[in-house]
Amino acid sequence: MEILSGREILSIVGELKAPGPDAMLALFYRKYYHIVGEQITKKISTFLNGGEMPQGWNETAVVLIPKVIEPERIKDPRPISLCNVVDKIASKVLANRLKNVLLEVISLKQSAFILGRLISDNILLAHEIVHHMKTKRRGRNNNAALKFDTSKAYDRVEWIFLERMMLKMGFEASWVNTIMKCIKYVAYQIKVNGEFTEKISPSRGLRQGDPISPYLFLLYVQKDSLVY
């Protein structure tokens, strides 16, 4: 798989985004690309073409940002995932490739994160449906609307189901294997009171803030294909 060449590989991530566990900003790689660029490009290219993910590459720091002035409950802080720059680049390249084919595999009913579709269309449609139900005065047929709470939806994604879904949709096995490495080899450390906890290795879920996570979630919830 080819990736962007030269300094362009760093233009896909914010220069001053909060750093991950390696404490390196994308700005460093851009400024000193003439020194580290060749090595970074080689490592990313090797991984994207089926190579192993370097140890520690996918480690993630989780920082708890309070949503209220005085947080007391577990849901009051908002967890923010801070990833290493090289991991962001690899994930963004995969996301850019994946989003080009979503129109062919994702139902027309799904409008979020799809190029050329607007999630606001679904908002308007839902408003019209509810309005019709409230104003209906005639007819023997009854209507019903269901509202689903998808809170913590990313955390409930089963890896084996996602992998089989992508294979069933016709994605190349080597491509699926590379994506699954990005998902499975994640290790979290939560920063509490300025100190990090021990590493946590998840067994399911997608990482919040990862460029490819929204597209993988669309594949996960797609119901037009059956998985055996």
Side-chain angles (χ1 to χ4, degrees), residues 43-44 47 52-59 84 86-87 90:
K43 282 186 174 294
I44 296 176
F47 168 68
E52 293 298 322
M53 177 177 287
Q55 185 176 5
W57 191 346
N58 217 7
E59 292 183 355
N84 295 324
V86 288
D87 178 50

Side-chain angles (χ1 to χ4, degrees), residues 18-29:
D22 63 357
M24 303 298 290
L25 295 170
L27 179 62
F28 167 82
Y29 293 98

Side-chain angles (χ1 to χ4, degrees), residues 11-144:
S11 64
I12 59 181
V13 293
E15 289 185 347
L16 298 177
K17 291 281 188 178
D22 63 357
M24 303 298 290
L25 295 170
L27 179 62
F28 167 82
Y29 293 98
R30 287 185 62 86
K31 187 173 183 179
Y32 298 102
Y33 188 83
H34 60 285
I35 299 176
V36 301
E38 183 178 353
Q39 183 179 3
I40 293 297
T41 303
K42 182 179 179 181
K43 282 186 174 294
I44 296 176
S45 298
T46 300
F47 168 68
L48 293 178
N49 283 284
E52 293 298 322
M53 177 177 287
Q55 185 176 5
W57 191 346
N58 217 7
E59 292 183 355
T60 305
V62 178
V63 179
L64 304 178
I65 308 297
K67 294 187 291 185
V68 296
I69 297 178
E70 296 182 359
E72 297 180 352
R73 297 172 294 179
I74 191 64
K75 67 177 184 179
D76 288 341
R78 176 183 290 109
I80 304 297
S81 298
L82 306 180
C83 312
N84 295 324
V85 174
V86 288
D87 178 50
K88 288 181 181 179
I89 295 173
S91 183
K92 186 66 176 180
V93 172
L94 290 172
N96 287 341
R97 301 296 186 272
L98 180 59
K99 70 181 182 181
N100 290 330
V101 300
L102 288 181
L103 284 173
E104 302 177 14
V105 297
I106 298 299
S107 170
L108 293 175
K109 299 176 183 178
Q110 178 59 253
S111 58
F113 305 114
I114 304 295
L115 186 65
R117 303 182 191 176
L118 297 175
I119 194 172
S120 57
D121 292 343
N122 280 2
I123 298 175
L124 295 174
L125 179 60
H127 177 78
E128 290 298 324
I129 292 174
V130 173
H131 176 72
H132 169 74
M133 295 173 60
K134 287 182 176 181
T135 58
K136 183 180 179 181
R137 295 291 184 268
R138 298 180 180 179
R140 303 179 64 179
N141 295 329
N142 297 322
N143 298 317

Side-chain angles (χ1 to χ4, degrees), residues 183-195:
I183 299 174
K184 292 181 177 181
Y185 295 165
V186 174
Y188 295 102
Q189 282 184 290
I190 302 175
K191 194 169 187 179
V192 181
N193 297 328
E195 297 183 359

